[in-house]
Amino acid sequence: MKIVMLGAPGAGKGTQAKQIAAKYQIPHISTGDIFRANIKEGTELGKKAKEYMDQGQLVPDSLTLDLIMDRFSKDDCANGYVLDGFPRTIPQAEALTAALNAKNDKLDFAINVDVPDSNIVDRMSGRRMCKCGGTYHVKYNPPKKEGICDLCGGELYIRDDDKAEIVAKRLDSYHAQTQPLIDYYDAEGILKNVDGTVNVDVVFQNICSIIG
Ligand code: ADP
Ligand code: ADP
Ligand code: ZN
């Protein structure tokens, strides 16, 4: 099973991708998580990516493609994956299609989690993250104990790029560079739209009824 998650920043791609990965026993690959791990470790890639991420801009395609192609070569990708945050530009989508074609392979679904811009600011301002990958929302998906991760007991933090002024820039990049992927995957015949404004469990049920 090879799935791409589409949707605005904060639409709930990561939240759903984690559940899909657990149910179908495939890795959840988030380019944002990989960049953040590199920033934390202070790698060269992390230093470069941070300059763009802090401005609400996309990391250049060349950097992103090197990183993701390396990730695909790992053994755990043999039975597929759920991609969250990649591809984010048409050239990235074309590179993915070409890499799959070269192996006589293809994606199964592109799932667009549809949430209007008016809900996005609320989603991102309440988002809380854990270094273990846990994602929470102060209103919609609170941890059992305030500020503490249910999964590992770690302290939750607010992402640098979830500040209001950066959120607006991320939404601009989304509309200019990423939204065209909806038409791209529609033309490939694999696009599925789900309403992302309903609660987390209902979104997941709707996704499961699509992917089987
Ligand atoms: P969100 O989950 O809010 O959509 P991500 O964690 O996926 O955010 O990404 C955070 C930031 O990392 C993006 O704003 C962008 O700067 C960078 N990034 C992540 N994935 C990509 C990608 N495929 N191409 C370019 N930049 C990316
Ligand atoms: P993305 O990966 O698309 O940026 P996330 O999965 O990180 O989005 O979700 C963004 C924020 O919205 C998080 O705080 C998350 O807990 C919350 N969230 C996710 N799905 C829903 C939903 N269906 N309803 C309300 N809040 C949600
Ligand atoms: Zn945790």
Side-chain angles (χ1 to χ4, degrees):
M1 179 84 79
K2 295 190 176 67
I3 298 174
V4 163
M5 303 300 292
L6 298 176
K13 302 180 296 296
T15 300
Q16 297 301 327
K18 285 186 193 103
Q19 298 201 45
I20 295 169
K23 177 165 176 188
Y24 295 90
Q25 301 280 299
I26 48 177
H28 163 214
I29 302 179
S30 156
T31 38
D33 285 351
I34 301 173
F35 286 136
R36 281 185 289 277
N38 275 275
I39 291 173
K40 200 148 173 283
E41 287 160 21
T43 68
E44 277 310 307
L45 171 73
K47 279 177 202 150
K48 286 188 199 142
K50 187 172 166 40
E51 291 173 29
Y52 298 92
M53 291 167 73
D54 283 352
Q55 307 292 322
Q57 291 169 4
L58 295 184
V59 177
D61 286 340
S62 56
L63 276 183
T64 307
L65 283 168
D66 281 353
L67 166 118
I68 197 89
M69 293 304 163
D70 176 61
R71 181 66 186 83
F72 288 152
S73 69
K74 302 275 170 359
D75 291 345
D76 66 342
C77 290
N79 294 323
Y81 38 68
V82 50
L83 301 181
D84 159 20
F86 177 88
R88 253 184 162 97
T89 64
I90 293 283
Q92 289 180 15
E94 287 170 342
L96 175 59
T97 303
L100 288 167
N101 280 345
K103 290 192 279 180
N104 262 324
D105 205 351
K106 60 178 179 49
L107 293 170
D108 296 288
F109 299 104
I111 297 174
N112 180 40
V113 184
D114 192 17
V115 174
D117 284 10
S118 51
N119 295 16
I120 292 295
V121 175
D122 191 34
R123 288 276 180 98
M124 289 200 269
S125 61
R127 173 156 57 188
R128 297 292 181 272
M129 305 279 288
C130 178
K131 58 181 181 324
C132 79
T135 305
Y136 302 86
H137 193 282
V138 291
K139 269 193 284 184
Y140 308 125
N141 183 24
K144 293 193 180 75
K145 189 160 180 261
E146 195 187 324
I148 303 293
C149 178
D150 293 348
L151 303 172
C152 76
E155 205 173 314
L156 301 184
Y157 68 93
I158 301 176
R159 268 170 52 174
D160 286 341
D161 59 350
D162 275 347
K163 297 187 191 96
E165 65 277 18
I166 307 293
V167 166
K169 295 207 180 103
R170 287 164 64 203
L171 270 175
D172 289 345
S173 339
Y174 169 73
H175 290 300
Q177 289 168 279
T178 309
Q179 207 173 18
L181 296 181
I182 296 175
D183 287 342
Y184 178 90
Y185 286 117
D186 198 15
E188 294 214 338
I190 58 166
L191 180 75
K192 305 284 173 186
N193 284 298
V194 293
D195 179 1
T197 64
V198 292
N199 83 48
V200 172
D201 297 336
V202 177
V203 179
F204 185 58
Q205 279 165 21
N206 292 340
I207 291 175
C208 291
S209 66
I210 291 166
I211 63 186

